[in-house]
Structures are given as structure tokens and as C-alpha cells.
Amino acid sequence: MKGRTVMKLDQDIQEILISQEDLEQRIEEMAAEITRDYAGKAPLLVGILRGSYIFMADLVRHIDLPVSMDFMVVSSYGAGTVSSGLVNIKKDLEEDIEGKDVIIVEDILDTGNTLVKLTAELLKRRPASLKLCVMLDKPDRRTTPIKADYTGFSIPDAYVVGCGLDYDQGYRQLPYVGVLKPEVYE
Ligand code: 5GP
């Protein structure tokens, strides 16, 4: 793992699903796709806090376009691992998105509830285009049909942490995507 300092947090991880190296490589590929698809444009990346910020920081550093960035806070999960099914905009965008090429950047597409509702809300604001870029996708969990335009990795139905994804606000700084040992949340 590139001589990285092993952290105490690593001891709570049962299995690494996606290594730091694989993530870095895939994120670079996604950034190259975005650079190609938006040639001549200046997209606005909308990061959904808090989970997306590490992915977005890694992604944007490989996008060779004049991008701008804005953030929203929407609530879906609480301290537990079960979706509430409701999306609530807690912090809205600072920017007006009318006429802009908007890319929503999200950590993970799970049931789809959050992003279906958020996409509908943002479309009301008449962007020139709206696309969705997610680091992870759990297609087996989908209850509302939605597909991302850019997907990093499809993963099985497991609750994962790392690379911005938390359990009870912890573990976000792990540089890989891993599954927690059950005793951590039982
Ligand atoms: P959805 O509305 O698609 O069910 O939920 C999306 C949100 O749920 C994500 O943005 C993320 O905050 C949270 N979520 C879904 N699956 C996981 C997971 O495996 N790990 C973590 N940490 N959060 C998840």
C-alpha cells in the first residue's frame, strides 16, 4: 500500500474491497472521460457533502478543463446503516445553475432515493445539462431506477467505509474502500 502509515482504524476493517491504487487509477480514467466529454465547456461540479469531498478532490485534480465547484448537503442516512428514504436539502448551492453544464458528484449510489429526488430538484433550475458521477454503485440495492453517467466501481451489497464514506462520521480518511468488521456496529 505505497508505504502508507498503518492506522489504528485499519484494525476495524474486515476486508478491503477496492485498494487505494485501483481507486486512483479509476478516478484518473473517469476524469479523462469527463475532460473528453466536456471539451470546450466549463462544467460546474456539484459535490454532495460530506461523503463526496475526497472523491471530488481526487477527481477534479485530473480534469483538464476550467471547472467550477459548489456543494450541497442533503441528509439521507443517520448514524445507522438503513436508508431513511427521504432527502432533505440542508445546505443549498451558492451558484445559480441555470444554463450551466452540471455534474453531480456523489460518493455512492445505493437505493437511488437521494439522487432521484436531487436530480428532479436540480432539473427544475434549468441547467444546460445534468449528469451524475459516482465513485461507487451498489446496483443490487436499487429501489428507484437511476443510472450514473460515470461510475467508478460497482460493488456488492455491503456497507462500506473509506474514501469519504463514513460509519457514524468515522473512517472517512481511509484511502481504500473497505467493509467494517461486524463487531464495530453490532
Ligand atoms: P441512496 O439514497 O442511494 O440509498 O443513498 C445514498 C447515500 O447513502 C450515500 O450518499 C451515502 O451517504 C449513503 N450510503 C449508502 N450506502 C452506503 C455505504 O455502503 N456506506 C456508507 N458509508 N454510506 C452509504
Side-chain angles (χ1 to χ4, degrees), residues 22-38 55 58-60 62-65 103-107 132-137 148-153:
D22 288 350
L23 272 162
E24 283 171 0
Q25 194 191 335
R26 181 70 192 120
I27 291 172
E28 260 191 75
E29 287 169 10
M30 295 169 88
E33 270 180 67
I34 290 172
T35 301
R36 232 182 8 252
D37 293 352
Y38 288 84
F55 169 51
D58 288 343
L59 182 75
V60 80
H62 295 287
I63 297 180
D64 193 6
L65 293 170
I103 306 175
I104 301 174
V105 179
E106 178 60 308
D107 51 5
L132 176 58
C133 175
V134 297
M135 178 174 70
L136 303 175
D137 185 12
D149 300 282
Y150 305 97
T151 301
F153 293 89

Coordinates of all heavy atoms in Angstrom, one line a residue, residues 22-38 55 58-60 62-65 103-107 132-137 148-153:
D22 N -6.1 1.0 -7.1 CA -7.2 0.8 -8.0 C -8.1 2.1 -8.1 O -8.6 2.5 -9.2 CB -8.0 -0.4 -7.7 CG -7.3 -1.7 -8.0 OD1 -6.2 -1.6 -8.6 OD2 -7.7 -2.8 -7.6
L23 N -8.4 2.6 -6.9 CA -9.2 3.8 -6.9 C -8.6 5.0 -7.7 O -9.2 5.6 -8.5 CB -9.4 4.3 -5.5 CG -10.6 3.7 -4.8 CD1 -10.5 3.8 -3.3 CD2 -11.9 4.3 -5.2
E24 N -7.3 5.2 -7.4 CA -6.5 6.3 -8.0 C -6.6 6.1 -9.5 O -6.8 7.1 -10.3 CB -5.1 6.3 -7.5 CG -5.0 7.0 -6.2 CD -3.6 6.8 -5.5 OE1 -2.7 6.3 -6.2 OE2 -3.4 7.3 -4.4
Q25 N -6.3 4.9 -10.0 CA -6.3 4.6 -11.4 C -7.7 4.9 -12.1 O -7.8 5.5 -13.1 CB -5.8 3.2 -11.7 CG -5.5 3.0 -13.1 CD -5.3 1.5 -13.4 OE1 -5.0 0.7 -12.5 NE2 -5.5 1.1 -14.6
R26 N -8.7 4.4 -11.4 CA -10.1 4.5 -12.0 C -10.5 6.0 -12.0 O -11.2 6.5 -12.9 CB -11.0 3.6 -11.2 CG -12.4 3.7 -11.7 CD -12.6 3.0 -13.0 NE -13.9 3.3 -13.6 CZ -14.1 3.9 -14.7 NH1 -13.1 4.2 -15.5 NH2 -15.4 4.1 -15.1
I27 N -10.2 6.7 -10.9 CA -10.6 8.1 -10.8 C -9.9 8.9 -11.9 O -10.5 9.8 -12.6 CB -10.3 8.7 -9.4 CG1 -11.2 8.0 -8.4 CG2 -10.4 10.2 -9.4 CD1 -11.0 8.3 -6.9
E28 N -8.6 8.6 -12.2 CA -7.9 9.3 -13.3 C -8.6 9.0 -14.7 O -8.8 9.9 -15.5 CB -6.5 8.7 -13.4 CG -5.5 9.7 -12.8 CD -4.1 9.3 -13.1 OE1 -3.6 9.6 -14.3 OE2 -3.4 8.8 -12.2
E29 N -9.1 7.7 -14.9 CA -9.8 7.4 -16.1 C -11.1 8.2 -16.2 O -11.5 8.6 -17.3 CB -10.1 5.9 -16.1 CG -8.9 5.0 -16.4 CD -9.3 3.5 -16.1 OE1 -10.5 3.1 -15.9 OE2 -8.3 2.7 -16.1
M30 N -11.8 8.2 -15.1 CA -13.1 9.0 -15.1 C -12.9 10.4 -15.4 O -13.6 11.0 -16.2 CB -13.8 8.9 -13.7 CG -14.2 7.5 -13.3 SD -14.7 7.4 -11.6 CE -16.5 7.8 -11.8
A31 N -11.8 11.0 -14.8 CA -11.5 12.4 -15.1 C -11.2 12.6 -16.6 O -11.6 13.6 -17.2 CB -10.4 12.9 -14.2
A32 N -10.5 11.7 -17.2 CA -10.1 11.7 -18.6 C -11.4 11.7 -19.5 O -11.5 12.4 -20.4 CB -9.2 10.6 -19.0
E33 N -12.4 10.8 -19.1 CA -13.7 10.7 -19.8 C -14.4 12.1 -19.7 O -14.9 12.6 -20.7 CB -14.6 9.7 -19.1 CG -14.4 8.3 -19.6 CD -15.4 7.4 -18.9 OE1 -16.6 7.5 -19.1 OE2 -14.9 6.5 -18.1
I34 N -14.4 12.7 -18.5 CA -15.1 14.0 -18.3 C -14.4 15.0 -19.2 O -15.1 15.8 -19.9 CB -15.2 14.3 -16.8 CG1 -16.1 13.4 -16.1 CG2 -15.6 15.8 -16.6 CD1 -16.2 13.5 -14.6
T35 N -13.1 15.0 -19.1 CA -12.3 16.0 -19.9 C -12.7 15.9 -21.4 O -12.9 16.9 -22.1 CB -10.8 15.8 -19.7 OG1 -10.6 15.9 -18.3 CG2 -10.0 16.8 -20.5
R36 N -12.8 14.7 -21.9 CA -13.2 14.4 -23.3 C -14.6 14.9 -23.6 O -14.9 15.6 -24.5 CB -13.0 12.9 -23.6 CG -12.2 12.6 -24.8 CD -12.1 11.1 -25.1 NE -12.9 10.2 -24.4 CZ -12.5 9.4 -23.4 NH1 -11.2 9.3 -23.1 NH2 -13.3 8.5 -22.8
D37 N -15.5 14.4 -22.7 CA -17.0 14.7 -23.0 C -17.3 16.2 -22.9 O -18.3 16.6 -23.5 CB -17.8 13.9 -22.0 CG -17.7 12.4 -22.2 OD1 -17.1 12.0 -23.2 OD2 -18.2 11.7 -21.3
Y38 N -16.6 16.9 -22.1 CA -16.9 18.3 -21.9 C -15.9 19.3 -22.6 O -15.9 20.4 -22.2 CB -17.0 18.6 -20.4 CG -18.3 18.0 -19.8 CD1 -18.3 16.7 -19.3 CD2 -19.4 18.8 -19.6 CE1 -19.4 16.2 -18.7 CE2 -20.6 18.3 -19.0 CZ -20.5 16.9 -18.6 OH -21.7 16.4 -18.0
F55 N -13.4 12.0 -2.9 CA -13.5 11.6 -4.3 C -13.5 12.8 -5.2 O -12.7 12.8 -6.2 CB -14.8 10.8 -4.5 CG -15.2 10.5 -5.9 CD1 -14.3 10.0 -6.8 CD2 -16.5 10.8 -6.4 CE1 -14.7 9.7 -8.1 CE2 -16.9 10.6 -7.7 CZ -16.0 10.0 -8.5
D58 N -10.0 14.3 -5.5 CA -9.1 13.5 -6.4 C -9.5 13.6 -7.8 O -8.6 13.7 -8.7 CB -9.2 12.0 -5.9 CG -8.5 11.7 -4.6 OD1 -7.7 12.6 -4.2 OD2 -8.8 10.7 -4.0
L59 N -10.8 13.6 -8.1 CA -11.3 13.6 -9.5 C -10.9 15.0 -10.1 O -10.4 15.0 -11.3 CB -12.8 13.5 -9.4 CG -13.5 13.5 -10.8 CD1 -13.4 12.1 -11.5 CD2 -15.0 13.7 -10.6
V60 N -11.2 16.0 -9.5 CA -11.0 17.4 -10.1 C -9.6 17.7 -10.4 O -9.3 18.4 -11.4 CB -11.7 18.4 -9.2 CG1 -10.8 18.8 -8.0 CG2 -12.1 19.6 -10.0
H62 N -7.6 15.8 -11.8 CA -7.2 15.2 -13.1 C -8.1 15.7 -14.2 O -8.0 15.2 -15.3 CB -7.3 13.7 -13.0 CG -6.4 13.1 -12.0 ND1 -5.0 13.0 -12.3 CD2 -6.5 12.6 -10.8 CE1 -4.4 12.5 -11.3 NE2 -5.3 12.2 -10.3
I63 N -9.0 16.7 -14.0 CA -9.9 17.2 -15.0 C -9.2 18.4 -15.7 O -8.9 19.4 -15.0 CB -11.3 17.6 -14.5 CG1 -12.0 16.3 -14.0 CG2 -12.1 18.2 -15.6 CD1 -13.4 16.6 -13.4
D64 N -8.9 18.3 -17.0 CA -8.2 19.3 -17.7 C -9.1 20.3 -18.4 O -9.1 20.4 -19.6 CB -7.2 18.6 -18.7 CG -6.2 19.6 -19.2 OD1 -6.1 20.7 -18.8 OD2 -5.5 19.2 -20.2
L65 N -10.0 20.9 -17.6 CA -11.0 21.9 -18.1 C -11.1 23.0 -17.0 O -10.8 22.7 -15.9 CB -12.3 21.2 -18.2 CG -12.6 20.1 -19.2 CD1 -13.9 19.4 -19.0 CD2 -12.5 20.6 -20.7
I103 N -22.5 18.7 -13.2 CA -22.2 17.3 -12.9 C -22.3 17.1 -11.4 O -21.6 17.7 -10.6 CB -20.7 16.9 -13.4 CG1 -20.5 17.2 -14.8 CG2 -20.5 15.4 -13.1 CD1 -19.0 17.0 -15.3
I104 N -23.3 16.2 -11.0 CA -23.4 15.9 -9.6 C -22.3 14.9 -9.3 O -22.2 13.9 -10.0 CB -24.8 15.3 -9.3 CG1 -25.9 16.3 -9.6 CG2 -24.9 14.9 -7.8 CD1 -27.3 15.7 -9.5
V105 N -21.6 15.1 -8.2 CA -20.5 14.2 -7.8 C -20.9 13.6 -6.5 O -21.1 14.3 -5.5 CB -19.2 14.9 -7.7 CG1 -18.1 13.9 -7.2 CG2 -18.8 15.6 -9.0
E106 N -21.1 12.3 -6.5 CA -21.6 11.6 -5.2 C -20.7 10.4 -4.9 O -20.1 9.8 -5.8 CB -23.1 11.2 -5.5 CG -23.8 10.5 -4.4 CD -23.9 11.2 -3.1 OE1 -22.8 11.7 -2.6 OE2 -25.0 11.3 -2.5
D107 N -20.7 10.1 -3.6 CA -19.8 9.0 -3.2 C -20.4 7.7 -3.6 O -19.6 6.9 -4.2 CB -19.7 9.0 -1.6 CG -21.0 9.1 -0.9 OD1 -22.1 9.1 -1.5 OD2 -21.0 9.3 0.3
L132 N -24.5 12.7 -13.8 CA -24.2 12.1 -12.5 C -22.9 11.3 -12.5 O -22.8 10.4 -13.4 CB -25.4 11.3 -12.1 CG -25.4 10.5 -10.8 CD1 -25.2 11.5 -9.6 CD2 -26.6 9.7 -10.6
C133 N -22.1 11.6 -11.6 CA -20.8 10.9 -11.5 C -20.6 10.3 -10.1 O -20.7 11.1 -9.1 CB -19.7 11.9 -11.8 SG -18.0 11.3 -11.5
V134 N -20.6 9.0 -10.0 CA -20.5 8.4 -8.6 C -19.2 7.5 -8.5 O -18.8 6.9 -9.5 CB -21.7 7.5 -8.3 CG1 -23.0 8.4 -8.3 CG2 -21.9 6.4 -9.3
M135 N -18.6 7.6 -7.3 CA -17.4 6.7 -7.1 C -17.8 5.3 -7.1 O -17.2 4.4 -7.7 CB -16.8 7.2 -5.8 CG -15.5 6.4 -5.4 SD -14.7 7.0 -3.9 CE -15.9 6.7 -2.6
L136 N -18.9 5.0 -6.4 CA -19.3 3.6 -6.2 C -20.8 3.4 -6.5 O -21.6 4.3 -6.4 CB -19.1 3.1 -4.7 CG -17.7 3.3 -4.1 CD1 -17.8 2.9 -2.7 CD2 -16.8 2.4 -4.9
D137 N -21.2 2.2 -7.0 CA -22.6 1.9 -7.3 C -22.9 0.5 -6.7 O -22.1 -0.4 -6.8 CB -22.7 1.8 -8.8 CG -24.2 1.6 -9.2 OD1 -25.1 1.7 -8.3 OD2 -24.5 1.4 -10.4
A148 N -26.0 6.1 -13.2 CA -25.0 7.2 -13.3 C -24.4 7.3 -14.7 O -24.3 6.3 -15.4 CB -23.9 7.0 -12.2
D149 N -24.0 8.5 -15.1 CA -23.3 8.7 -16.4 C -21.8 8.3 -16.3 O -21.2 7.8 -17.2 CB -23.4 10.1 -16.8 CG -24.8 10.6 -16.9 OD1 -25.4 10.2 -17.9 OD2 -25.4 11.2 -16.0
Y150 N -21.2 8.4 -15.1 CA -19.9 8.0 -14.8 C -19.9 7.2 -13.5 O -20.3 7.7 -12.5 CB -18.9 9.2 -14.7 CG -19.0 10.2 -15.8 CD1 -19.8 11.3 -15.8 CD2 -18.2 9.9 -17.0 CE1 -19.9 12.1 -16.9 CE2 -18.3 10.8 -18.1 CZ -19.1 11.9 -18.0 OH -19.2 12.7 -19.1
T151 N -19.4 6.0 -13.5 CA -19.4 5.1 -12.3 C -17.9 4.6 -12.1 O -17.3 4.1 -13.1 CB -20.3 3.9 -12.5 OG1 -21.6 4.4 -12.7 CG2 -20.3 3.1 -11.2
G152 N -17.4 4.8 -10.9 CA -16.1 4.3 -10.6 C -16.1 2.8 -10.6 O -15.5 2.1 -11.4
F153 N -16.8 2.2 -9.6 CA -16.8 0.8 -9.4 C -18.2 0.3 -8.9 O -18.9 1.0 -8.1 CB -15.9 0.3 -8.2 CG -14.4 0.5 -8.5 CD1 -13.8 1.8 -8.2 CD2 -13.7 -0.5 -9.1 CE1 -12.5 1.9 -8.5 CE2 -12.3 -0.3 -9.4 CZ -11.7 0.9 -9.1

